[in-house]
Amino acid sequence: MNYPPKTYAKVAVENTAYDFDKLFDYLIPLEYDGLVAPGCRVIVPFGRGNRKRQGVIFELSRTADYGKVKPISSLLDESPVLSDEMLLMAKWFRDNYYCTYYEAAKVMLPSGINVRVVTSYRATEQLDSLTLMERSDITPQQRRILEMFISNPGLVLEKKHIAEVMNLPANSTIPDKLVEKKLLERTDDAVRNIKDATIKMAALAPDWEKHAGDRLTPKQNEIVKLLGEVQNASVREICYFTGISQAVVDLLAKKGVVIYYEEEIYRNPYSNAGSGHSGRVVLSPQQQTAFENLYKLYSEDKFRVSLLFGVTGSGKTSVFLRLIDEVLSDGKGIIVMVPEIALTSQTLGKFHERYGSRVAVFHSGLSLAQRMDEWKRVRDGEAQIALGTRSAIFAPFKRLGLVIIDEEQEYTYKSENSPRFHARDAARFRCGYNKALLVLASATPSIETYYNATESGRYDYQVLTQRYGNAILPDVEKIDISRMDINDGIISPRLYQALRDNLESGRQSILLNNRRGFNTFVSCRACNEVITCPNCSVSMTYHSDNRRLMCHYCGYSMPVPHTCPSCGEPYLRFAGHGTQKAEEELAKLFPGARILRMDADSMTRRSSYDKKLSDFAAGLYDIMIGTQMVAKGLDFERVTLVGVLMADQALYSDDFRSYERAFSLLTQVVGRSGRGESRGRAIIQTVTPDNPVIDLAASQDYKKFYQNEIILRKAMLYPPFADICMVGFVGSRDDETSLAADAFMQNLKYHTQREYSDIPIRALGPSPASVKKVSGRYRYKIILKCRNNARFREMMQLLLCESGRDPANKEVTVYADLNPDNVL
């Protein structure tokens, strides 16, 4: 085959180890000349066996780093799926989040668009029964496989299917050995996870009259007349408007009068959203001031970041809507992010009411096909607003004007898998590239964000101190439950009376209990042992719905034993209150109440969030009990009572952010009360009523909380005064994993005493993770207090590569996580 002289593509290839990762050179075949472009996906041969792998083209070049270069096997995209902006961000991800090029590129694409390479086998022409009898180099297992192909001519089987039929390991090399013996041949085909949705369309052929003649029936003439008027229509529409069956249309196509073609359609999960309306948003004086200041920043056509700090119920969303109206009029794209699917529902309702089908939705509650099509609607310019959770930041707008991150302090904006990016940082990159405005909004912003807005001067600062309209902050009452007998229930007499009053007045209540399940642990009264998960070093939680013990880390479940697994005595004790037990207690206390439980166990279907929240808003439930998903962003006018069953659950952990998380959670849930005309109240149950965090959350005094917290952060050298980099070690053997962590620490000391002695760094560890074993794998960590600059990243890349190449770490995964949400 002839190739144009020295035309190469630099490709990021999937499944490469971090220490081996780079952009690999591939020759562009003549057949793809002019078609290949950066951002396109390809299939390439990789490694000594030339196995086919998927890759993404980052650059084109006239030179290659090495003399002998393999050609690209196939081109998967007719046009780039990643823009120049996204490719640049992928490189930035790789440098900052210690991932491979391909991992960085893949996370920016919808899951449904990805392909997998399927390895299949078929018999060669020379394979027959006679050949099989003559060959003496065939093992019994190989013979069984070959006999299967001989007895089924034309059979094509994937490798996994051969393994299943022949009871072989999934990674068996036997089929490939038969390829080497030229008895089987192997093909590697790219298969896309989700196909494009299409509809069959029909149109008159250019020379239809020549084929029609005078032989058309009345029904056929009616179809020809319709297509002559509308040019083209779907087959379904033709049958609907003419009342004629598809068989008649098929006959016209057979004659050459009509031609069929496929037209892509979008599987829009919100296709009935309507066209929206653009009525003017009425703002309070404070809201108007905030809007005008934010719009002024946007109009500067420069990269700017602003914190919109507003008490719960202050109407931040109304400010967003006015700002969005202005950006839409400029024809620019807008990204609005919320931290959880549960919040998408209510926010989406407001956006669809105003903007209709111009809104595309991005969250994990959608099917793969729906996510892919929403991504396409943005790419093709059919949607101007992307609303969703963390993945919405990758919405493929060509001109981005505004990014809004609501509840910006939430941990769900941080990815726990490679690349371990924070959506806030990705938003900063995109806004910087597009000279766009980034708005961070919260009643309880992260300490780092508030510091950047009020002390360092990096961010602009806008504030809303008053609730919108007639709503005022709720009255808050603390209840000391330290002397309550929890075995008798977790609803205190004071909370019981408040719930009863609310029920009698026809108002709604929300209760927060941030533990799912029925009982949070089961122990033995004889030996005091707690029943733990066999795969994880955590206690099992009893679930009443299925009457099983379940692990909330790996999903393992087991029937409740009759005797203690440790000592064999029948003295098991069930303790702790999860949401299921709280629901049961409420049902006993208020037999006529309609109770809604919101947790990960009850929200198993994609539509569960929307349906349950809509029902609650419509008044079909009296009390909502749930985990933290009921605490944030929800807006129900009938809710006048909020109860926190155990405020202390969030307060006490070894993580330096524990107080920040607890304050945010309590402040947010208290703010769900009294958002309508009636004044609200909140009751916080606690065993430590004197804890200052509870007092400050009850009074919604974020500024005082920040003043206390920033002093501690500075004294202990935590963000924003330093960055945190956690190096994690995960392996199936405890000793190997521990040794890998020790070796990394020794290597860190070696390099920081020599070529990187200029780097300011404090290292803590190595030590086991707070949950040492998860899913049968042991976990260790090293915590580095550092300054995230180019020199530090250079050193970390060196250390990770050296660790990855160490033969002793063959079974241990080593990774780095910059500014993790949880350092435990």
Side-chain angles (χ1 to χ4, degrees):
M1 183 177 289
N2 295 320
Y3 300 99
K6 299 187 181 298
T7 304
Y8 305 96
K10 294 188 177 295
V11 179
V13 181
E14 66 178 336
N15 298 329
T16 56
Y18 181 78
D19 58 278
F20 187 66
D21 184 58
K22 64 175 183 175
L23 294 178
F24 296 91
D25 291 322
Y26 283 91
L27 199 61
I28 300 174
L30 184 60
E31 62 195 277
Y32 297 136
D33 186 29
L35 300 177
V36 169
C40 288
R41 294 169 304 155
V42 291
I43 298 295
V44 295
F46 191 80
R48 292 180 180 177
N50 286 328
R51 288 296 185 90
K52 300 297 190 298
R53 292 194 189 180
Q54 186 180 177
V56 177
I57 298 175
F58 271 65
E59 302 170 14
L60 299 182
S61 174
R62 288 290 177 182
T63 60
D65 294 337
Y66 300 97
K68 189 176 180 181
V69 180
K70 301 172 186 177
I72 290 171
S73 299
S74 60
L75 179 65
L76 297 178
D77 302 303
E78 295 179 359
S79 59
V81 293
L82 290 176
S83 64
D84 291 343
E85 175 192 354
M86 292 300 187
L87 291 174
L88 190 62
M89 185 160 69
K91 292 180 179 179
W92 184 79
F93 267 32
R94 184 183 184 275
D95 291 341
N96 284 269
Y97 299 119
Y98 310 106
C99 62
T100 67
Y101 282 109
Y102 187 83
E103 287 173 334
K106 184 180 179 181
V107 76
M108 299 175 187
L109 294 172
S111 301
I113 204 172
N114 290 319
V115 303
R116 55 192 174 92
V117 177
V118 175
T119 300
S120 301
Y121 299 85
R122 72 182 72 206
T124 58
E125 291 183 1
Q126 59 261 46
L127 177 63
D128 53 35
S129 299
L130 183 61
T131 303
L132 194 58
M133 292 175 60
E134 294 174 347
R135 298 288 292 259
S136 59
D137 58 339
I138 306 297
T139 67
Q141 278 187 321
Q142 293 174 345
R143 189 175 299 276
R144 285 175 54 221
I145 294 175
L146 294 174
E147 287 173 346
M148 177 176 62
F149 280 97
I150 292 171
S151 59
N152 296 277
L155 179 65
V156 179
L157 278 181
E158 291 183 30
K159 186 172 187 176
K160 65 177 182 179
H161 293 148
I162 295 176
E164 290 171 3
V165 172
M166 296 297 167
N167 197 25
L168 299 173
N171 60 349
S172 172
T173 60
I174 293 178
D176 294 311
K177 289 179 179 177
L178 291 172
V179 172
E180 294 173 5
K181 297 176 187 293
K182 302 190 183 304
L183 297 174
L184 292 183
E185 59 184 26
R186 186 185 72 218
T187 57
D188 296 300
D189 300 312
V191 179
R192 207 168 87 191
N193 291 340
I194 301 294
K195 301 291 185 183
D196 292 327
T198 59
I199 187 170
K200 182 181 280 190
M201 301 291 292
L204 291 175
D207 54 350
W208 70 269
E209 292 174 326
K210 181 178 73 173
H211 298 284
D214 299 324
R215 295 168 293 172
L216 295 184
T217 66
K219 289 184 177 181
Q220 291 172 343
N221 271 317
E222 192 171 344
I223 293 173
V224 169
K225 181 181 178 182
L226 175 66
L227 291 176
E229 292 174 353
V230 300
Q231 279 76 51
N232 56 64
S234 70
V235 173
R236 181 180 296 176
E237 289 172 324
I238 293 171
C239 297
Y240 178 80
F241 286 109
T242 64
I244 298 170
S245 70
Q246 183 176 335
V248 180
V249 191
D250 290 340
L251 188 57
L252 285 173
K254 191 174 182 180
K255 288 182 175 182
V257 176
V258 166
I259 55 173
Y260 281 150
Y261 63 97
E262 300 289 328
E263 184 173 282
E264 185 177 354
I265 59 173
Y266 296 125
R267 290 155 286 209
N268 185 349
Y270 304 98
S271 56
N272 59 349
S275 57
H277 64 82
S278 55
R280 190 169 183 81
V281 178
V282 178
L283 301 179
S284 69
Q286 265 198 348
Q287 290 174 320
Q288 183 67 27
T289 300
F291 158 69
E292 290 175 355
N293 291 338
L294 290 172
Y295 181 65
K296 183 179 178 181
L297 291 177
Y298 162 75
S299 301
E300 292 175 358
D301 198 29
K302 297 178 181 178
F303 166 50
R304 298 297 300 270
V305 183
S306 181
L307 168 63
L308 179 59
F309 172 66
V311 297
T312 55
S314 58
K316 294 184 287 293
T317 302
S318 296
V319 178
F320 298 163
L321 296 177
R322 280 287 289 116
L323 191 58
I324 288 169
D325 289 346
E326 299 299 328
V327 179
L328 280 177
S329 65
D330 289 342
K332 294 183 178 180
I334 297 144
I335 296 173
V336 181
M337 285 190 283
V338 293
E340 296 187 35
I341 300 173
L343 304 189
T344 310
S345 175
Q346 282 204 330
T347 307
L348 184 58
K350 296 175 183 177
F351 274 71
H352 270 158
E353 181 182 350
R354 186 167 184 81
Y355 303 112
S357 61
R358 289 185 289 177
V359 180
V361 185
F362 293 79
H363 63 70
S364 60
L366 303 181
S367 69
L368 292 180
Q370 289 169 338
R371 278 184 261 176
M372 181 174 72
D373 287 357
E374 290 293 85
W375 181 86
K376 287 181 181 177
R377 288 207 306 125
V378 172
R379 180 197 63 186
D380 298 341
E382 293 196 13
Q384 290 80 48
I385 302 170
L387 171 64
T389 49
R390 187 175 61 227
S391 60
I393 193 57
F394 302 119
F397 289 111
K398 294 179 176 65
R399 295 177 64 223
L400 184 64
L402 173 67
V403 176
I404 297 169
I405 304 183
D406 199 15
E407 307 295 352
E408 66 85 29
Q409 80 285 352
E410 286 298 323
Y411 71 93
T412 51
Y413 288 126
K414 180 76 163 68
S415 172
E416 295 180 351
N417 300 312
S418 186
R420 294 173 172 83
F421 70 96
H422 198 295
R424 183 174 54 228
D425 298 330
R428 283 177 52 85
F429 183 96
R430 293 206 67 183
C431 288
Y433 184 91
N434 290 276
K435 298 181 180 179
L437 172 63
L438 171 59
V439 178
L440 307 174
S442 180
T444 56
S446 65
I447 297 297
E448 296 93 318
T449 294
Y450 196 78
Y451 175 84
N452 285 330
T454 60
E455 296 195 42
S456 74
R458 293 180 64 195
Y459 298 168
D460 174 70
Y461 179 56
Q462 303 298 322
V463 62
L464 302 173
T465 60
Q466 303 165 354
R467 280 197 155 188
Y468 182 73
N470 297 322
I472 56 177
L473 291 170
D475 296 320
V476 182
E477 182 179 354
K478 290 186 300 181
I479 303 296
D480 184 355
I481 60 170
S482 59
R483 297 182 181 179
M484 271 182 59
D485 186 352
I486 300 299
N487 292 323
D488 294 334
I490 200 171
I491 307 293
S492 66
R494 181 71 190 92
L495 181 55
Y496 165 79
Q497 187 60 49
L499 287 166
R500 182 176 177 178
D501 293 344
N502 237 33
L503 282 168
E504 291 175 352
S505 63
R507 292 169 181 162
Q508 293 175 303
S509 307
I510 293 178
L511 299 180
L512 169 68
N513 186 31
N514 207 19
R515 290 287 188 275
R516 63 188 179 101
F518 194 86
N519 296 110
T520 52
F521 68 94
V522 179
S523 63
C524 176
R525 296 179 187 273
C527 67
N528 293 322
E529 285 292 317
V530 175
I531 298 180
T532 58
C533 173
N535 307 313
C536 309
S537 51
V538 293
S539 61
M540 301 282 281
T541 300
Y542 175 63
H543 284 243
S544 60
D545 285 354
N546 58 5
R547 298 182 180 180
R548 295 178 70 85
L549 295 177
M550 298 187 67
C551 174
H552 289 173
Y553 278 80
C554 71
Y556 174 83
S557 73
M558 59 181 281
V560 180
H562 299 294
T563 59
C564 173
S566 297
C567 70
E569 295 292 338
Y571 304 120
L572 295 181
R573 178 173 66 96
F574 293 76
H577 285 69
T579 49
Q580 292 178 8
K581 188 168 185 179
E583 180 186 27
E584 181 185 86
E585 185 176 335
L586 287 169
K588 290 178 180 177
L589 292 173
F590 308 104
R594 299 165 298 175
I595 301 168
L596 170 63
R597 193 179 91 237
M598 293 277 288
D599 56 28
D601 301 309
S602 61
M603 302 289 106
T604 54
R605 297 182 179 178
R606 290 190 177 102
S607 59
S608 296
Y609 293 97
D610 294 353
K611 179 71 167 61
K612 295 293 178 66
L613 291 176
S614 297
D615 288 348
F616 189 79
L620 301 182
Y621 293 98
D622 303 306
I623 302 172
M624 180 192 294
I625 170 75
T627 53
Q628 61 184 1
M629 66 174 64
V630 307
K632 308 157 191 170
L634 302 177
D635 190 352
F636 301 108
E637 291 190 0
R638 294 188 183 94
V639 173
T640 56
L641 174 66
V642 162
V644 180
L645 300 189
M646 180 63 78
D648 311 87
Q649 289 174 338
L651 280 170
Y652 303 109
S653 75
D654 294 331
D655 189 84
F656 74 93
R657 288 195 177 93
S658 60
Y659 272 15
E660 180 182 0
R661 290 196 197 96
F663 177 85
S664 176
L665 182 63
L666 295 175
T667 301
Q668 293 286 346
V669 73
V670 166
R672 298 313 106 205
S673 179
R675 300 174 78 90
E677 295 295 325
S678 301
R679 182 157 191 168
R681 54 180 170 164
I683 294 177
I684 299 176
Q685 297 185 164
T686 173
V687 297
T688 55
D690 296 329
N691 189 297
V693 174
I694 296 177
D695 278 335
L696 293 172
S699 60
Q700 305 269 294
D701 193 346
Y702 176 84
K703 292 185 178 180
K704 183 63 179 295
F705 169 77
Y706 169 81
Q707 290 167 2
N708 294 339
E709 187 72 8
I710 200 70
I711 293 172
L712 289 173
R713 295 283 185 95
K714 189 171 185 178
M716 301 298 293
L717 199 62
Y718 280 120
F721 302 103
D723 291 294
I724 301 290
C725 183
M726 185 182 77
V727 186
F729 307 84
V730 182
S732 56
R733 292 181 48 147
D734 190 5
D735 55 346
E736 287 182 354
T737 312
S738 175
L739 287 172
D742 291 337
F744 190 98
M745 177 61 86
Q746 292 303 316
N747 206 18
L748 172 67
K749 290 178 180 178
Y750 175 85
H751 286 293
T752 52
Q753 291 170 0
R754 288 168 173 78
E755 68 267 39
Y756 294 104
S757 59
D758 57 310
I759 294 180
I761 191 169
R762 294 185 184 179
L764 307 174
S767 62
S770 59
V771 180
K772 182 179 178 180
K773 184 182 177 185
V774 173
S775 298
R777 295 176 67 78
Y778 295 90
R779 309 189 306 168
Y780 285 79
K781 67 181 187 297
I782 295 172
I783 297 174
L784 306 177
K785 294 181 180 181
C786 59
R787 184 176 295 123
N788 180 33
N789 55 25
R791 281 284 287 166
F792 174 79
R793 292 192 293 272
E794 178 187 293
M795 182 189 72
M796 281 302 302
Q797 289 167 2
L798 172 65
L799 289 168
L800 290 169
C801 288
E802 290 181 348
S803 183
R805 293 171 189 145
D806 186 345
N809 295 341
K810 185 177 180 181
E811 302 299 326
V812 178
T813 299
V814 184
Y815 67 90
D817 191 355
L818 181 65
N819 290 320
D821 177 73
N822 192 322
V823 297
L824 298 181

